[in-house]
C-alpha cells in the first residue's frame, strides 16, 4: 500500500553539514529517488577534502539488533554512497523520522548512540544519510512495523539514548504530522514535496533554527537521564560516592562558571537578606548545614562577618569538614573569614537529621543540644532531605526567640522547593546559572557520577556505565563557539528564607475562603509555581484580612487577576485570587461620579477579577467602550500597568482612561478610595488617602505595586465598529525583509490617521520568513465592507488577503496571531513567554537587521515578533503626567517565544525563554523603554525594569517606600529602592530634671515644621524598653510606669535593681535597647532618644547604625533649676531609669568626653530650645549635605576585592565640590572661628580641604608631613598605616610625621581638618604630634569630611586619652 504524499526519509544534520530533505510520495517515487541520490552526491562533493583524508564521502552504515528493522535498514545500506567510517563533532545528530512512531526505534537509537561513541575521535565528519534508492517497498514495510506510537514516545526513546531528535517528515494531506514536526523544532513545509539541495537559499536560512545545540539541559534533567541510563543498562548494585569522589565532583560544580552563581546570586542575596538581621543584633550565632569546604558566611562583607560570634556546622563529608576547619583556623586572626568568633567553630561530621544525633559524632568544638541560632543556612541544596518541609520546620525550632527571632535560609539548585504550606519570608530566583565542564573523559566520569549520586559496585559494570554516561553528558550538554571544548548545563538556583512565622498559614485559612481545586492560570511560568496557598476572597474584608496577616507575619503576597503574569503565583507565597470580584457596572452621565471627562459622560466600574473580554462585551451592549488591550483574557494587571490596544492611538492606553480606584492598603489594611469612584461603589469605611493625587497618578501605569486593587473606574468612549485587513508578505531574504519593514514603517504606519493602527508580525513559516500586517480602522459611524477605504499598504502590497467589519468582541478573533499564523498558532495548544520593548524607526538598518536576526535564531518554529503601532494619543500624554512614562515610541515590539503546551517545563520551553531574553538584550540599547506589565522578580528582568517607567522611577520609588514600606507586594514589577537619605539620630543626654524629654519634644516640633524639607520626627525614651521588661517580669502596670511619675518613683529602687541584674546577665543590654528603639522607628527621618546614660554614646554606638548620623546633645541646667523642676530634693523625675553611677555628677566637667553639642536649659519656656534647634540641629538635615554626599563616588573592589571604597577626596574634582565642602566646614563648626588660632592638616586629604578652609576663615595653615619633608627644627610622632594603606598593601609600615617646632604657639586653639575618620590611627598620630608641640587636647577640635563608624575611630581616640576632643563630621558612611 502507499501513503498518499507521505515523506518517508530523513537525514541527520549538524551545524556543519547542510540539511538534505528526501521527499517521497507514492506517485513520484522514481523522480524523488533520483533527486535523493543527486542530493547525496552533492553533499559528498561539498564535504570532500575537509572532512575525510581521501576526499571521499563517508556515510555510516546503520545497524540494529532488531531483526525486522535490520532487514529494512540493510536495503538502505546497500544504496549508501561510500563505505568509510562516520566521524562526529558532537552527538546532537538526528537519524530517522516517519509519519507515525513506535518504540521499536529504541533499538535503533541504542545502536546509533553506540556508533556515535565509537567514531567520536575520528576526523570530524558530521552526518548520517540514508539513501532513498529502493526506498518505496522498504518504507512501506517499515511504516507498517512501527505504526501507532505517539511522537512523545519517539522523543522520549531518543532522549533516553542521549540523542536530540529533529524530525524532517510530515503528512502533507492531513497536516497532522506538520504539527508533530513542529514539536521537535522543525518547520514543516506544506508546499509540494521536494528536495532542498545544499545551495538552496531557503535551506541556508532554515539552518538558523538548528545550531549545534540551542537547548541547554538542566542538571536535574541530566541527573534523571544518567539514572535512567544506569537503570536500563546495568544490573549491578549501586554504591554511594566516597568523600573523595563527592569532593572532586563538587569542585567541578563550583569552579569557573559555576562559581558565578555564588558570586552573582547566592552571596549578594545572602548579604541583602542578613543585613537587617545582623544590624539588629550585637552578635550572631550561626548554623550552616552542608557548607562544603568553605563557609558561605565567610564570603559576606566584613562588617557582617565580624558580627558572627558562634559558628556551628553539620558537614558529613570528612574531607570537606577538614578543609572547612583549615580555612577557619589556618590564616591570621585579622584575615579570618569569621574573625570575631568567641569559641572555636563547632563542626559536626554527620548529616543534619530530624532527630538530634549530635551525641554520637565527633566535632571540633563544644555544643549545647539546646543551642539556639540567629541564622541557619541550608547552603548548597536540600538533596536527600525528605520531606523537605520537615527539615525546615526542624530548623525553625532551633531559632532564637528574642526579640524578633531568627531566620532559616535555603539555597537550592534545579527547580522550585515545594514545601507543603510553609510560607516564605522572602524568596528569589536565579534562572541564569550555568555549569561548565571540560569535555574530556576523565572530567566527565567524575562529573557524571557526582550528578547521578552513585557509582556501580561491579568494576566492569562501572566502566561500561561511565562510557554510557559520557555519551549522555555529550548529548545533553550545550556547546558554544567561544568554548568548544566544554559542555554547558543549566543550573537554576532559588533562595527561600523563613522565620518562625512560616507555619502560620492556618491562621489565615481559618478566616478566608480558599480556591476550590486547582487554580488554572494562563501564564505557563505561573503554572509551574506552587504557591503556599491560593486565597479566594469574596468580599473586601477578606482582602483586608489577608493584608493584616501578611503584615503581622512579615510575608509577601501575590495577586491573581487575569492570570497572564508570570509572577501572579510564586513558590511558597500566598496568592490572593480576585476572581470573585467579577462585576462590570456602567453608569450613564448624571447618575453619580461627576464629570468623567469622556465624550459619552459614562463611567465604567470594573472589579479586579474581570477580564478584558467581559468588559468589552458588557460595555458594547450599552454602546460604549474602554480602550483596553488586544487579548480578551487579560485582567486588571494589564489596565493598571499600561494596556496597549487597537484604540490606543485614538483614545490612549487603558491606564489613561482610569479616573478612580478602590484598593486595600498594604501598609495599614485600610480600604482606600482614590479619585473618581461612584458613591454606590465605595465600600463602607473606605477613606481617601492623604497622598490621593500621587496614588491616582501611580495607578495609571504602575498600579500593581501600591495596594491590592478591588475595582477600577474608567471613563468611557462611544463603541466603534472595526474594519480589519490582513496582508501576508513572503520575504526572500534579509535585504527584502529590511526593505519591507522600512516600507511598513515609513509608507504605511506613519501615514495612518489616529483612528487606524497597523500591527506587524515577523515570523517564519513554510521554510520562509514572512511579514504579516493587520490594519485596524475604527469608526463610530457604520463601516461598509463593500467600499473599504484605500490604504497605503494596498498601494504597496496590493489587495489584502481578507477584510472584515467586526464589533469589539469579534475583533479579538481577527488578529493574524489567532487566525493566520502557523495554522492558527498551533491550534491554540501552545504556551508562550514574552517581553516587550518600545522601538522607533524599525525600518532603519540597525534595528531591522536585529529584528530579522532574532527570528532567524528562534529555537522553535512558532516564535515570532509582534509590532504594535504607537503614536497618536499615546504620545500626546506627557511622560510625567502618569506613571507610564514611556511615551515616545513608534512600535511596541513583543518578543514572543512559543512552544507546544505539552513541553512546558522542558528544555524546549527553557530555550524559548532564553531566546526572548537574548533578543531583548540585543534590542534594549536601541529601545526607548520597556513595558512593565510583563516584568517581575526574575533577575533577567532587571535591565528592562530600569527602562520601564522613563523619568518616573524616582517618584515611584518614593511612593513605593511610602505605600508598601514592608514590601508586601514584593513580586510585582520591580521598582528601584527609594534613595535612602541618612536618618538623623539625636541622643539627648543630661542629668535628671535638666529637661531632656521636654527639649526633645520641642525639637521634634521644629523638625516637623521645617519649611524647606518635609520631615518626620519622633522622640522616644530608651528607658521604656527596660520598663517593659520589668513590667513583664514583675506584673507592674506598664502604662503607669510610662506615664505616672509618682508610680514610677515607687518602683524606682526595684527598677534600678532589675536593670543592674539584667545588665550583668546581658552585657550587651544597652546596645540591644538602642537597636530596638532604632529599628522600631524605621519610618522617621529624625529620631530623638532620651533616657540614655552611656558614656560617650556616639563613640560607643555609632558603629551599630552605619547608615545613620548619630549626634549627642547634652542638656544641662543649674542645680537650682533642676531642683525646681523636680519639685523636691529626692527622685529623678526625668525618665533616667538605667542610671550609670560613673557619670552621675551634676557638672559637665565630670564627663571624660565631649558631646557633639551642649544646650544650656536654664531659661523658662521653649524659645531658647527652638532657637538652638534652628541654629544647630536643622543644618544636619540641610539638602547641601545630601548634595555633598552625592559627590562621593563609590568604587567597588578597591583597593582590593570585597572593599567598597568611597572616593572622598574626589569631591574636590567635582564642579563646585571644593567650594561647597569649604562652606559646610565653616558653617558646621560648633565653636567660634574668632577664637581659633590655626588650621592643621596632614598630607594629601587634609591639605586639599584644610587649605581652602584656612583661606576662607583667614587663619594660618599648619602642615604636617612625612618625615624628611620639612626643614628643622621639627617635632615628630609615629603614625601607623592608614586604613586604606593597610588594605592596599600587607607590607604597610609605620612612618614618622613631623611639623615645624613653634609654628603653633603653646596653648593655641587648633582645628584639625582631614578628609576621613576611619580607624582613627592617623588622627591619633596628629593629636600626639600636637601634644608634643604643647597644644593640649582641650584646645583641639577635629573636623572631617566623612566618617566610617564601622572602624570605631572615635573609640580608639577616646582610649588614647583624646575623648574630650570634639569631633565633627559632615558625612557618615557605612562600609570602608
Amino acid at each position: 500500500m502507499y501513503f498518499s504524499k507521505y515523506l518517508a526519509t530523513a537525514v541527520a544534520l549538524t551545524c556543519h553539514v547542510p540539511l538534505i530533505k528526501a521527499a517521497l510520495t507514492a506517485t513520484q517515487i522514481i523522480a524523488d529517488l533520483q533527486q535523493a541520490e543527486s542530493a547525496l552526491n552533492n553533499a559528498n562533493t561539498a564535504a570532500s577534502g575537509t572532512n575525510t583524508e581521501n576526499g571521499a564521502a563517508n556515510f555510516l552504515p546503520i545497524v540494529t539488533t532488531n531483526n525486522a528493522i535490520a532487514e529494512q535498514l540493510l536495503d538502505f545500506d546497500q544504496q549508501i554512497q561510500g563505505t568509510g567510517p562516520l566521524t562526529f563533532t558532537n552527538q546532537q545528530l538526528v537519524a530517522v523520522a516517519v509519519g507515525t512512531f513506535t518504540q521499536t526505534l529504541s533499538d535503533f537509537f541504542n545502536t546509533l548512540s553506540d556508533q556515535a561513541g565509537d567514531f567520536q575521535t575520528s576526523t570530524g565528519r558530521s552526518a548520517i544519510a540514508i539513501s532513498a534508492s529502493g526506498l518505496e517497498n522498504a518504507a512501506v514495510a517499515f511504516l507498517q512495523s512501527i505504526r501507532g506510537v505517539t511522537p512523545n514516545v519517539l522523543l522520549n526513546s531518543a532522549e533516553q539514548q542521549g540523542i536530540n531528535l529533529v524530525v524532517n517528515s510530515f503528512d502533507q494531506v492531513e497536516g497532522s504530522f506538520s504539527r508533530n514536526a513542529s514539536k521537535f523544532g522543525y518547520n514543516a513545509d506544506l508546499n509540494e514535496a521536494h528536495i532542498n539541495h545544499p545551495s538552496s537559499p531557503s535551506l541556508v536560512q532554515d539552518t538558523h533554527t538548528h545550531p549545534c545545540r540551542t537547548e541547554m539541559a538542566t542538571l536535574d534533567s541530566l541527573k534523571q537521564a544518567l539514572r535512567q541510563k544506569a537503570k536500563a543498562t546495568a544490573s549491578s548494585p549501586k554504591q554511594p560516592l566516597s568523600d573523595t569522589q563527592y569532593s572532586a565532583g563538587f569542585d567541578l560544580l563550583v569552579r569557573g562558571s559555576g562559581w558565578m552563581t555564588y558570586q552573582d546570586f547566592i552571596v549578594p542575596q545572602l548579604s541583602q537578606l542578613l543585613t537587617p538581621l545582623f544590624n539588629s543584633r550585637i552578635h550572631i550565632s550561626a548554623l550552616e548545614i552542608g557548607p562544603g569546604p568553605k563557609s558561605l558566611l565567610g564570603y559576606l562583607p566584613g562588617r557582617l562577618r565580624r558580627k558572627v560570634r558562634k559558628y556551628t556546622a553539620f558537614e558529613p563529608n570528612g574531607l570537606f569538614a577538614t578543609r572547612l576547619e583549615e580555612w577557619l583556623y589556618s590564616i591570621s586572626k585579622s584575615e579570618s573569614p569569621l574573625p570575631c568568633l568567641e569559641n572555636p567553630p563547632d563542626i559536626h561530621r554527620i548529616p543534619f537529621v530530624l532527630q538530634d544525633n549530635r551525641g554520637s559524632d565527633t566535632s571540633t568544638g563544644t555544643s549545647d543540644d539546646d543551642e539556639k541560632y540567629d541564622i541557619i543556612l541550608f547552603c548548597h541544596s536540600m538533596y536527600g532531605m525528605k520531606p523537605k518541609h520537615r527539615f525546615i520546620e526542624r530548623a525553625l525550632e532551633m531559632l532564637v526567640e528574642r526579640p524578633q527571632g531568627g531566620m532559616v535560609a535555603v539555597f537550592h539548585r534545579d527547580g522550585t522547593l515545594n514545601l507543603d504550606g510553609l510560607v516564605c519570608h522572602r524568596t528569589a530566583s536565579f534562572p541564569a546559572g550555568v555549569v561548565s565542564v571540560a569535555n574530556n573523559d576523565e572530567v566527565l566520569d567524575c562529573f557524571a557520577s557526582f550528578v547521578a549520586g552513585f557509582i556501580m559496585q561491579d568494576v566492569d559494570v562501572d566502566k561500561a556505565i561511565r562510557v554510557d554516561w559520557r555519551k549522555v553528558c555529550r548529548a545533553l550538554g550545550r556547546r558554544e563557539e567561544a568554548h568548544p571544548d566544554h559542555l554547558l548545563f543549566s543550573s537554576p538556583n532559588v533562595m527561600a528564607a523563613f522565620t518562625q512565622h512560616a507555619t502560620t498559614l492556618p491562621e489565615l485559612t481559618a478566616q478566608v475562603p480558599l480556591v476550590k481545586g486547582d487554580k488554572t492560570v494562563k501564564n505557563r511560568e505561573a503554572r509551574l509555581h506552587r504557591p503556599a496557598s491560593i486565597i479566594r476572597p469574596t468580599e473586601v474584608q477578606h482582602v483586608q484580612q489577608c493584608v493584616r496577616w501578611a503584615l503581622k507575619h512579615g510575608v509577601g503576597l501575590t495577586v491573581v487577576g487575569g492570570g497572564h503574569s508570570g509572577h501572579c503565583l510564586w513558590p511558597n507565597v500566598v496568592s490572593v485570587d480576585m476572581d470573585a470580584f467579577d462585576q462590570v457596572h456602567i453608569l450613564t452621565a448624571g447618575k453619580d461620579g461627576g464629570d468623567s471627562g469622556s465624550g459619552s459622560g459614562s463611567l465604567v466600574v470594573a472589579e479586579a477579577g474581570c477580564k478584558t473580554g467581559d468588559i468589552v462585551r458588557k460595555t458594547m451592549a450599552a454602546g460604549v467602550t474602554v480602550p483596553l488591550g488586544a487579548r480578551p483574557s487579560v485582567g486588571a494587571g494589564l489596565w493598571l500597568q499600561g494596556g496597549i490596544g487597537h484604540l490606543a492611538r485614538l483614545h490612549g492606553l487603558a491606564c489613561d482612561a482610569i479616573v478612580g480606584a478602590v484598593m486595600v492598603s498594604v501598609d495599614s489594611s485600610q480600604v482606600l478610595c482614590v479619585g473618581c469612584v461612584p458613591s454606590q461603589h465605595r465600600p463602607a469605611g473606605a477613606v481617601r488617602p492623604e497622598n490621593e493625587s500621587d496614588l491616582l497618578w501611580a495607578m495609571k501605569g504602575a498600579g500593581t505595586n501600591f495596594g491590592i486593587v478591588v475595582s477600577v473606574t474608567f471613563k468611557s468612549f462611544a463603541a466603534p465598529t472595526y474594519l480589519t485587513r490582513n496582508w501576508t508578505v513572503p520575504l526572500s531574504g534579509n535585504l527584502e525583509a529590511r526593505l519591507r519593514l522600512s516600507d511598513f514603517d515609513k509608507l504605511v504606519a506613519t501615514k495612518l490617521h489616529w483612528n487606524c493602527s497597523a500591527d506587524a508580525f515577523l515570523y517564519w513559516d513554510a521554510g520562509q520568513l514572512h511579514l504579516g500586517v493587520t490594519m485596524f480602522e475604527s469608526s463610530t459611524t457604520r463601516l461598509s465592507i463593500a467600499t473599504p477605504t484605500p490604504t497605503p499598504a494596498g498601494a504597496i502590497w496590493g489587495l489584502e488577503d481578507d477584510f472584515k467589519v467586526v464589533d469589539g468582541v469579534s475583533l479579538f478573533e481577527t488578529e493574524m496571531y489567532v487566525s493566520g499564523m502557523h495554522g492558527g498558532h498551533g491550534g491554540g495548544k501552545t504556551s508562550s513567554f514574552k517581553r516587550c520593548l518600545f522601538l522607533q524607526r524599525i525600518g532603519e538598518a540597525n534595528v531591522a537587521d536585529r529584528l530579522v536576526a532574532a527570528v532567524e535564531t528562534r529555537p522553535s518554529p512558532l516564535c515570532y515578533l509582534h509590532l504594535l503601532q504607537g503614536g497618536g494619543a499615546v504620545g500626546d500624554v506627557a511622560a510625567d503626567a502618569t506613571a507610564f512614562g514611556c511615551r515616545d515610541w513608534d512600535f511596541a515590539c513583543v518578543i514572543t517565544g512559543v512552544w507546544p503546551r505539552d513541553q512546558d517545563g522542558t528544555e524546549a520551553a527553557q530555550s524559548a525563554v532564553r531566546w526572548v531574553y537574548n533578543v531583548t538584550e540585543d534590542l534594549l540599547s536601541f529601545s526607548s523603554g520597556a513595558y512593565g506589565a510583563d516584568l517581575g522578580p526574575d533577575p533577567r528582568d532587571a535591565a528592562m525594569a530600569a527602562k520601564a517607567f522613563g523619568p518616573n522611577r524616582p517618584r515611584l520609588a518614593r511612593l513605593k517606600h511610602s505605600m508598601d514600606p514592608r514590601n508586601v507586594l514584593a513580586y510585582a514589577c520591580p521598582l528601584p529602592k527609594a534613595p535612602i537619605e541618612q536618618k538623623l539620630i539625636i541622643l539627648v543626654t543630661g542629668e535628671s530634671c535638666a529637661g531632656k524629654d521636654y527639649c526633645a519634644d520641642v525639637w521634634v516640633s521644629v523638625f516637623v515644621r521645617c519649611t524647606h524639607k518635609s520631615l518626620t520626627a519622633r522622640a522616644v525614651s530608651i528607658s521604656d524598653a527596660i520598663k517593659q521588661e520589668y513590667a513583664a517580669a514583675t506584673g507592674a502596670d506598664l502604662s503607669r510606669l510610662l506615664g505616672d511619675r509618682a508610680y514610677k518613683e515607687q518602683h524606682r529602687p526595684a527598677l534600678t535593681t532589675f536593670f543592674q541584674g539584667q545588665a550583668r546577665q546581658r552585657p550587651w543590654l544597652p546596645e540591644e535597647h538602642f537597636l530596638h528603639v532604632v529599628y522600631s522607628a524605621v519610618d522617621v527621618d529624625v529620631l530623638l532618644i532620651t533616657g540614655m546614660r552611656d558614656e560617650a554614646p556616639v563613640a560607643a554606638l555609632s558603629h551599630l547604625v552605619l547608615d545613620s548620623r548619630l549626634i549627642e546633645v547634652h542638656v544641662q541646667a543649674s542645680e537650682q533649676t533642676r531642683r525646681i523642676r523636680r519639685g523636691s530634693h529626692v527622685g529623678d523625675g526625668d525618665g533616667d531609669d538605667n542610671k550609670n553611677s560613673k557619670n552621675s555628677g551634676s557638672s559637665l566637667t565630670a564627663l571624660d568626653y565631649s558631646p557633639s553639642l551642649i544646650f544650656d536649659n536654664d531659661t523658662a519656656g521653649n524659645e531658647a530650645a527652638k532657637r538652638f534647634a534652628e541654629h544647630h540641629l536643622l543644618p544636619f538635615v540641610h539638602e547641601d549635605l545630601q548634595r555633598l554626599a552625592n559627590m562621593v563616588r563609590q568604587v567597588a573592589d578597591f583597593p582590593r576585592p570585597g572593599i567598597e571604597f568611597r572616593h572622598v577626596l574626589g569631591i574636590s574634582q567635582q564642579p563646585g565640590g571644593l567650594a561647597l565642602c569649604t562652606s559646610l566646614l565653616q558653617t558646621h563648626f560648633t565653636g567660634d572661628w574668632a577664637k581659633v588660632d590655626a588650621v592643621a592638616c596632614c598630607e594629601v586629604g587634609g591639605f586639599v580641604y584644610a587649605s581652602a578652609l584656612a583661606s576662607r576663615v583667614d587663619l594660618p595653615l599648619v602642615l604636617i608631613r612625612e618625615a624628611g619633608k620639612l626643614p628643622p627644627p621639627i617635632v615628630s610622632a609615629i603614625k601607623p598605616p592608614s586604613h586604606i594603606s593597610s588594605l592596599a598593601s600587607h607590607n604597610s609600615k609605620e612612618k614618622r610625621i613631623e611639623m615645624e617646632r613653634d609654628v603653633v604657639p603653646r596653648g593655641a586653639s587648633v582645628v584639625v581638618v582631614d578628609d576621613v575618620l576611619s580607624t582613627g590611627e592617623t588622627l591619633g598620630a596628629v593629636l600626639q604630634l600636637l601634644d608634643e608641640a604643647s597644644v593640649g587636647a582641650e584646645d583641639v577640635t577635629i573636623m572631617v569630611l566623612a566618617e566610617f563608624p564601622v572602624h570605631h575611630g572615635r573609640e580608639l581616640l577616646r582610649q588614647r586619652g583624646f575623648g574630650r576632643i570634639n569631633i565633627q563630621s559632615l558625612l557618615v558612611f557605612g562600609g570602608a
Side-chain angles (χ1 to χ4, degrees), residues 558-827:
T558 66
V559 181
V560 184
H564 278 250
S565 166
H567 39 275
C568 63
L569 302 179
W570 202 251
N572 309 304
V573 175
V574 169
S575 294
V576 181
D577 181 11
M578 299 300 289
D579 184 61
F581 295 81
D582 60 356
Q583 298 300 300
V584 179
H585 307 278
I586 303 170
L587 291 88
T588 56
K591 281 201 170 184
D592 190 59
D595 181 14
S596 68
S598 70
S600 68
S602 296
L603 295 177
V604 176
V605 178
E607 294 182 349
C610 294
K611 309 298 188 291
T612 291
D614 303 330
I615 300 172
V616 171
R617 189 174 293 105
K618 189 159 186 178
T619 56
M620 190 180 67
V624 297
T625 194
V626 177
L628 300 175
R631 301 282 184 269
S633 58
V634 296
L638 179 84
W639 327 326
L640 295 167
Q641 298 180 95
I644 305 171
H646 302 308
L647 291 175
R649 285 170 44 79
L650 183 61
H651 297 309
L653 303 171
C655 67
D656 294 335
I658 295 175
V659 296
V662 173
M663 62 184 292
V664 175
S665 166
V666 288
D667 182 30
S668 65
S669 78
Q670 284 184 300
V671 181
L672 305 179
C673 184
V674 181
C676 177
V677 179
S679 59
Q680 63 267 47
H681 298 290
R682 301 171 192 163
V687 299
R688 291 196 176 273
E690 293 181 1
N691 60 346
E692 182 178 5
S693 60
D694 280 343
L695 201 49
L696 181 59
W697 172 86
M699 288 291 102
K700 299 183 177 190
T704 59
N705 251 297
F706 306 102
I708 299 180
V709 175
V710 177
S711 69
V712 174
T713 304
F714 295 101
K715 60 183 178 181
S716 66
F717 303 86
T721 303
Y722 300 88
L723 173 64
T724 69
R725 317 170 199 229
N726 287 308
W727 289 265
T728 302
V729 184
L731 305 171
S732 61
N734 290 11
L735 178 59
E736 186 183 6
R738 185 198 303 171
L739 293 174
R740 293 296 191 182
L741 282 171
S742 180
D743 289 345
F744 172 68
D745 181 21
K746 298 176 182 177
L747 302 180
V748 178
T750 58
K751 305 296 185 182
L752 296 179
H753 188 269
W754 284 15
N755 72 316
C756 298
S757 67
D759 286 7
F761 297 84
L762 200 59
Y763 61 100
W764 202 282
D765 200 7
Q768 192 171 9
L769 188 65
H770 288 75
L771 176 66
V773 176
T774 301
M775 190 174 295
F776 305 89
E777 179 182 351
S778 66
S779 176
T780 54
T781 61
R782 186 172 183 80
L783 289 167
S784 171
I785 194 170
T787 58
T789 306
T791 66
I796 299 173
W797 299 321
L799 290 177
E800 56 266 25
D801 299 336
D802 63 78
F803 56 88
K804 300 176 182 177
V805 175
V806 296
D807 60 21
V809 175
S810 301
L811 183 69
F812 294 127
E813 303 301 322
T814 64
E815 286 198 63
M816 187 169 291
Y817 169 90
V818 176
S819 62
M821 289 170 50
H822 304 130
H825 203 65

Side-chain angles (χ1 to χ4, degrees), residues 382-538:
M382 295 188 72
Y383 294 133
M385 300 184 189
K386 297 180 180 179
K388 291 180 173 54
H389 73 276
R390 292 285 305 280
F391 282 85
I392 293 175
E393 289 169 353
R394 168 68 180 131
L396 291 171
E397 294 170 356
M398 301 171 68
L399 292 178
V400 297
E401 298 177 1
R402 53 103 189 150
Q404 297 99 1
M407 189 175 295
V408 174
V410 179
F411 289 95
H412 186 69
R413 192 178 296 109
D414 265 343
T416 58
L417 287 165
N418 299 318
L419 299 173
D420 294 335
L422 288 182
V423 181
C424 279
H425 165 72
R426 185 176 152 211
T427 180
S429 65
F430 186 68
V434 172
V435 171
S436 174
V437 293
N439 185 11
N440 67 65
D441 290 354
E442 182 180 357
V443 172
L444 289 182
D445 287 348
C446 176
F447 181 71
S449 60
F450 172 77
V451 173
F454 58 85
I455 59 173
M456 311 306 292
Q457 280 188 4
D458 185 279
V459 175
D460 293 334
V461 172
D462 188 61
K463 288 182 179 178
I465 201 65
R466 285 173 185 266
V467 174
D468 290 337
W469 278 356
R470 292 174 207 154
K471 297 175 185 176
V472 172
C473 290
R474 286 167 175 144
L476 296 184
R478 176 177 174 177
R479 295 166 181 79
E480 293 185 344
E481 292 182 7
H483 305 285
D485 56 345
H486 279 71
L487 302 177
L488 304 181
F489 297 91
S490 174
S491 179
N493 215 294
V494 296
M495 182 207 74
F498 304 87
T499 67
Q500 280 108 334
H501 300 283
T503 58
T504 60
L505 183 58
E507 177 186 321
L508 177 63
T509 57
Q511 303 175 50
V512 295
L514 300 174
V515 166
K516 294 180 180 179
D518 293 331
K519 173 67 179 178
T520 301
V521 295
K522 179 72 174 176
N523 189 279
R524 75 97 200 170
E525 290 176 278
R527 289 198 300 268
L528 297 176
H529 297 155
R530 183 178 293 181
S533 184
I534 304 178
I535 305 299
R536 188 177 185 269
T538 57

Side-chain angles (χ1 to χ4, degrees), residues 245-318:
Q245 291 165 332
Y246 188 92
S247 176
F250 182 84
D251 288 346
L252 288 175
L253 187 72
V254 299
R255 72 173 53 161
S257 60
W259 176 246
M260 298 299 289
T261 296
Y262 291 82
Q263 177 178 298
D264 295 343
F265 175 66
I266 293 178
V267 174
Q269 285 291 337
L270 193 60
S271 299
Q272 186 178 351
L273 178 72
L274 296 185
T275 294
L277 177 71
F278 279 36
N279 283 348
S280 67
R281 305 283 203 273
I282 302 305
H283 52 77
I284 293 293
S285 176
L287 167 63
E288 287 189 315
I289 297 168
K294 292 185 177 182
S295 162
L296 278 185
L297 296 173
Y299 294 102
L300 295 177
R303 68 180 186 278
L304 299 182
R305 290 186 285 112
R306 284 189 287 271
K307 286 287 189 83
V308 180
R309 303 300 172 87
K310 294 181 181 180
Y311 176 82
T312 304
F314 283 89
E315 179 46 71
N317 185 299

